[in-house]
Amino acid sequence: MTQQGVRWTADQVLALAPDAASRKAGSKLGAAGPWSEAGSSDEGTMWGLCKGSGSKPYQTVIDIADAAGPAYKCSCPSRKFPCKHALGLLLLWAGEDGAVPPGQAPGWAEEWLAGRRKRSEEKRAAGASGSPSAADPEAARRRAERRAERITAGAAELEQRLTDLLRTGLASAEQSGYALWEETAARMVDAQAPGLAARARELGAIPASGPGWPVRLLEECALLHLLDQAWLRRERLPDELAATVRSRVGLSGSADGPPLRDHWLVLAQYDTADAKLTTRRIWLYGTESGRTSLLLSYGAAGRAPELALPVGLALGAEVSAFPGAGQLRAALGEQFAPPSPTTVRPQGVTTARAAAHYGEALRHDPWLDAVPVTLDQVVPTPDGDSWQLADADTDSALPLTPAACSRPGLWRLVALSGGAPVKVFGELGHRGFTPLTAWPEGTGEPVSLC
């Protein structure tokens, strides 16, 4: 099928927006009015001129067949990615037949597209030939040993601080506030253990988290103690669990698993941000293998990560898994077909089976916050001051997380259901279920709840 035959939905386009403001502004530009000289090609590229506030229109070009997801270029000064003009052009292409007709790309668009093709070819050639100057393996081994020694020293120091906290009583954590754990986290950063630093920093927020905080603090301290001890005794652990421990303390590995080629359905995409980093999580489902994989992409504070895949579409590609027991993270490899619509949906389970699956996953990775789950035939129902997803055919249910109950996506899910069963994909953890995408009964399009 040529790219002209592939048509996205407006929801799939808007799921690429970096924030609500871009989504709103892009929607206003999804009509023919501000656009001129718009066109597209069978290779999955499109271009157009969008009238702005200046004397010259903005030049926008998009490549939706890029191996790393849709790629964009716009002459506007926006630092958002994609900008509102790229979203508007995608909406124009997705909405009305003939609004972005087939044609020959103008010079400014062809220059950018040719540059991208050249860089892609060079990257493939470099990957095929290998690195021209391999790193000294002995030097790499010595660096790894020095870092492991620093992490071990940091873990020992963290153990002492946890011991001091329990000796003086949990009430001291409330009196110390953030300062104690921020300083502890800084020490773990010095020890080159960012995973330990992140968990230590999270402890500082628990005393201010409301009733029952001592129990939650003790639980998190126990998990941190378990991670410390696992690192200090990593030589005694099975290889896969040891790999998980290394990942949890912050030793980044490489995606060295064998490439798995499949048609990958994009289940969900959402961003989380802190003062320094924006993290994008993209969940994929192999329509042939039945495997669920997680892609992570990062951007500097205030900037969206470059990797973006439209929810509900499927792409032919290879992914390679990262090491670790029960780890779902993978790296996106070569792409063989651009994202395109599909009627395939992930297999779903009951709420009881989903809870059992989470328990099984914790045996492999006790520090796991949540697992990806697709629930079949569930109905969103009120549960006191909160909400739950109840099985249509049994008396079991899963509570929604407090964060999910405060998001607009909850009301989209309720409206989509209308009291009827729906299929819902999301993340299940000890705080409950967070819905990310839903499918209505029948052959309806997926709805992003992020």
Side-chain angles (χ1 to χ4, degrees), residues 7-9 13-14 16 22 25-32 34-41 44-50 58-64 71-74 82-96 99-101 106 108-109 112:
R7 191 69 59 179
W8 296 4
T9 67
V13 172
L14 294 176
L16 300 173
S22 298
S27 297
K28 294 180 180 179
L29 296 176
W35 292 95
S36 61
E37 299 182 28
S40 60
S41 74
T45 60
M46 60 198 73
W47 54 87
L49 302 177
C50 187
Y58 295 122
Q59 298 175 338
T60 307
V61 57
I62 302 171
D63 180 6
I64 64 171
Y72 321 90
K73 173 67 175 178
C74 186
C83 68
K84 63 182 181 181
H85 306 101
L87 290 171
L89 181 57
L90 277 171
L91 287 171
L92 184 66
W93 166 77
E96 182 180 345
V100 186
W108 55 268
W112 179 76

Side-chain angles (χ1 to χ4, degrees), residues 255-267:
D256 56 4
L260 175 61
R261 182 170 179 173
D262 205 335
H263 285 86
W264 297 95
L265 171 64
V266 184
L267 291 174

Side-chain angles (χ1 to χ4, degrees), residues 270-274 277-281 296-299 303 305:
Y270 69 94
D271 295 349
T272 57
D274 56 29
L277 194 68
T278 298
T279 302
R280 173 165 294 165
R281 299 167 66 88
L296 294 181
S297 182
Y298 302 95
R303 295 185 65 90

Side-chain angles (χ1 to χ4, degrees), residues 78-149:
S78 174
R79 298 179 65 219
K80 295 181 179 180
F81 191 87
C83 68
K84 63 182 181 181
H85 306 101
L87 290 171
L89 181 57
L90 277 171
L91 287 171
L92 184 66
W93 166 77
E96 182 180 345
D97 287 338
V100 186
Q104 179 66 40
W108 55 268
E110 184 56 41
E111 181 181 357
W112 179 76
L113 293 168
R116 289 194 61 80
R117 296 189 195 103
K118 182 179 179 181
R119 289 190 294 272
S120 296
E121 291 172 359
E122 290 174 348
K123 185 176 180 180
R124 284 195 295 270
S129 61
S131 173
S133 56
D136 182 356
E138 180 60 25
R141 184 189 63 80
R142 290 195 297 269
R143 287 194 299 270
E145 287 181 350
R146 289 195 295 270
R147 182 174 182 185
E149 290 172 358

Side-chain angles (χ1 to χ4, degrees), residues 53-428:
S53 57
S55 58
K56 294 183 178 180
Y58 295 122
Q59 298 175 338
T60 307
V61 57
I62 302 171
D63 180 6
I64 64 171
D66 186 81
Y72 321 90
K73 173 67 175 178
C74 186
S75 61
C76 75
S78 174
R79 298 179 65 219
K80 295 181 179 180
F81 191 87
C83 68
K84 63 182 181 181
H85 306 101
L87 290 171
L89 181 57
L90 277 171
L91 287 171
L92 184 66
W93 166 77
E96 182 180 345
D97 287 338
V100 186
Q104 179 66 40
W108 55 268
E110 184 56 41
E111 181 181 357
W112 179 76
L113 293 168
R116 289 194 61 80
R117 296 189 195 103
K118 182 179 179 181
R119 289 190 294 272
S120 296
E121 291 172 359
E122 290 174 348
K123 185 176 180 180
R124 284 195 295 270
S129 61
S131 173
S133 56
D136 182 356
E138 180 60 25
R141 184 189 63 80
R142 290 195 297 269
R143 287 194 299 270
E145 287 181 350
R146 289 195 295 270
R147 182 174 182 185
E149 290 172 358
R150 285 191 286 268
I151 295 175
T152 297
E157 180 179 344
L158 184 54
E159 280 292 277
Q160 185 59 53
R161 297 197 178 202
L162 292 173
T163 301
D164 293 343
L165 173 63
L166 295 180
R167 182 182 297 114
T168 58
L170 295 181
S172 63
E174 187 175 28
Q175 298 167 1
S176 302
Y178 285 96
L180 169 65
W181 298 110
E182 282 294 335
E183 194 269 338
T184 301
R187 295 287 295 163
M188 296 305 103
V189 171
D190 292 341
Q192 293 186 288
L196 295 179
R199 287 185 172 271
R201 188 174 289 112
E202 290 172 357
L203 297 181
I206 295 178
S209 62
W213 69 263
V215 174
R216 293 191 292 275
L217 180 60
L218 186 60
E219 290 173 345
E220 294 302 321
C221 285
L223 283 172
L224 189 50
H225 167 68
L226 181 64
L227 183 55
D228 275 343
Q229 291 299 314
W231 170 261
L232 295 173
R233 293 167 171 80
R234 61 192 181 280
E235 293 84 2
R236 309 178 194 176
L237 300 177
D239 290 344
E240 285 197 345
L241 183 56
T244 297
V245 170
R246 287 193 292 270
S247 173
R248 290 300 181 184
V249 301
L251 281 174
S252 57
S254 59
D256 56 4
L260 175 61
R261 182 170 179 173
D262 205 335
H263 285 86
W264 297 95
L265 171 64
V266 184
L267 291 174
Q269 172 180 293
Y270 69 94
D271 295 349
T272 57
D274 56 29
K276 297 181 179 180
L277 194 68
T278 298
T279 302
R280 173 165 294 165
R281 299 167 66 88
I282 302 177
W283 286 108
L284 303 178
Y285 172 77
T287 59
E288 298 171 10
S289 65
R291 174 175 161 182
T292 302
S293 295
L294 173 65
L295 305 181
L296 294 181
S297 182
Y298 302 95
R303 295 185 65 90
E306 289 193 8
L307 180 61
L309 297 173
V311 175
L313 299 187
L315 65 154
E318 290 180 342
V319 302
S320 298
F322 281 75
Q327 297 301 300
L328 298 177
R329 186 184 175 189
L332 184 63
E334 185 176 356
Q335 181 175 330
F336 305 100
S340 60
T342 179
T343 58
V344 176
R345 300 183 181 187
Q347 296 181 352
V349 298
T350 63
T351 56
R353 184 68 193 94
H357 172 60
Y358 178 50
E360 293 164 1
L362 289 176
R363 291 192 303 170
H364 300 289
D365 184 357
W367 308 278
L368 190 64
D369 290 325
V371 294
V373 171
T374 300
L375 300 176
D376 234 347
Q377 294 283 300
V378 290
V379 181
T381 58
D383 180 26
D385 295 332
S386 186
W387 284 78
Q388 63 182 4
L389 292 179
D391 281 324
D393 301 322
T394 71
D395 57 356
S396 63
L398 287 175
L400 297 189
T401 59
C405 292
S406 64
R407 294 176 181 172
L410 170 62
W411 303 112
R412 289 201 293 272
L413 176 59
V414 172
L416 181 69
S417 166
V422 291
K423 181 189 289 282
V424 183
F425 170 78
E427 296 174 347
L428 175 61

